[in-house]
Amino acid sequence: MTKKVTKVGLLTSGGDSPGMNAAIRAVVRTGIYHNLEVFGIMRGYSGMVENDIFKMESRSVANIIQRGGTILKTARCMEFMEPAGRKKAYDNLQKHGIDGLVIIGGDGSFRGAQTFSNEFDIPCIGLPGTIDKDIAGTDFTIGFDTAVNTAVEAIDKVRDTADAHDRLFIIEVMGRDAGYIALHSGIATGAENILIPERKTNVDDIIQSLEEKSKRKKLVNLIIVAEGDEFGGANELSTYIKEKLPALETRVCILGHIQRGGSPSCMDRVIASRMGYHAIECLIEGKHNVFVGIQNNKMHYTPLNEAVKKKQRINEEWMNIVKILAT
Ligand code: F6P
């Protein structure tokens, strides 16, 4: 018999992502609808270790669905990695009578939750919140759509000035281990080249193609590079290109953390609301220690200990599209 959950602790962990607030709102209001008590835990697992926990009401989540960041704040907590830190966290949950957890974060946060649940028998539900979209088991993560649209808007602006000056721009987007933001934003902005961690970068091919373009007077070029590309980021690439092609006017633009902020898109608000609602349903139905994803527009549940970073296999067709459309 699975234990009935009555008091739910809710936290956001790891890098924030737009839509986390919409998910918080959905968890709180669905929980209250089902007569559960919901407790906010501040700054991820740190709040559990430090007993920074407070009771949430329906009004606690008023007017947040449209806000970026996370009202619960977030952190990467080292103490929780150690058994002593987790024991402290458990003792603090006990003080509030919390008997279930919802964790909004990435794969690392999910694995921490699974370890905690194994040690203390507290059911945990994960919601995938990361702009990188790098978790296997879901077609969407909360925040990706907003982040990629922020990148597209910024890259469009860079293109205006690149065009005015006939320049090559190398634009770095986020993605330490995953190239989804680079791939999607690059295709959407008509980039000539996209460099991602999942694919070997051949810089000499890029030089050759730039030389060929320069001969036919195509001087406006955008290259999108994910920060985690094995060749390096935009600065490394720019140094290399400037050495080989000194006549090209080359500039670098690093988009950085603007991609993590801002009001969530409609898409992120909707998936966050659906996932938050289902997190509570899972706790009630005894579907424990899973993270809630969406596949083919249906809810999909993956065991927390199977949450892994999704290494995408880049379909050659996508790269071919980039090449043909950017001539
Ligand atoms: O949340 C994912 C991410 O934005 C990565 O794309 C990036 O490499 C990392 O977080 C940056 O983390 P921090 O803000 O801790 O430097």
Side-chain angles (χ1 to χ4, degrees), residues 49-255:
V49 174
E50 292 157 12
N51 195 20
D52 197 352
I53 299 172
F54 68 102
K55 175 107 185 284
M56 297 185 85
E57 308 296 343
S58 192
R59 298 329 295 161
S60 323
V61 292
N63 198 22
I64 65 166
I65 194 168
Q66 79 285 14
R67 283 169 55 192
T70 155
I71 60 162
L72 294 177
K73 300 194 181 277
T74 184
R76 298 183 171 106
C77 176
M78 292 305 149
E79 225 183 319
F80 193 75
M81 308 250 192
E82 304 298 328
R86 293 195 292 274
K87 173 71 172 70
K88 236 164 126 185
Y90 174 71
D91 290 342
N92 287 329
L93 294 189
Q94 291 283 91
K95 287 178 196 155
H96 299 272
I98 293 171
D99 49 12
L101 284 176
V102 176
I103 297 98
I104 308 172
D107 63 321
S109 310
F110 293 171
R111 283 195 303 276
Q114 179 67 62
T115 307
F116 186 70
S117 182
N118 289 345
E119 288 171 347
F120 299 105
D121 195 25
I122 296 227
C124 295
I125 304 295
L127 299 185
T130 162
I131 62 164
D132 290 348
K133 196 167 91 77
D134 59 348
I135 302 178
T138 184
D139 297 340
F140 307 102
T141 59
I142 298 165
F144 171 75
D145 185 63
T146 309
V148 84
N149 277 296
T150 299
V152 165
E153 200 184 325
I155 297 167
D156 283 347
K157 289 179 179 165
V158 173
R159 183 182 276 284
D160 287 346
T161 173
D163 184 67
H165 286 267
D166 281 338
R167 279 175 173 163
L168 162 66
F169 260 88
I170 302 168
I171 302 165
E172 184 178 304
V173 296
M174 271 188 160
R176 197 164 25 205
D177 306 301
Y180 285 99
I181 297 179
L183 192 60
H184 286 243
S185 65
I187 290 182
T189 55
E192 340 298 320
N193 256 298
I194 298 171
L195 278 57
I196 50 177
E198 298 86 344
R199 205 168 187 267
K200 184 117 196 63
T201 296
N202 187 337
V203 228
D204 294 317
D205 275 0
I206 297 175
I207 300 287
Q208 207 183 352
S209 129
L210 287 171
E211 265 174 334
E212 181 271 317
K213 283 176 175 142
S214 152
K215 274 188 202 136
R216 56 183 167 89
K217 299 277 175 273
K218 182 181 192 300
L219 300 171
V220 184
N221 288 294
L222 300 182
I223 298 179
I224 312 297
V225 52
E227 62 178 328
D229 186 70
E230 97 278 353
F231 184 81
N235 283 319
E236 286 80 4
L237 186 62
S238 156
T239 306
Y240 190 84
I241 292 178
K242 278 179 175 164
E243 221 173 80
K244 300 279 176 192
L245 303 171
L248 273 195
E249 265 215 76
T250 305
R251 294 289 186 276
V252 163
C253 176
I254 297 176
L255 297 187

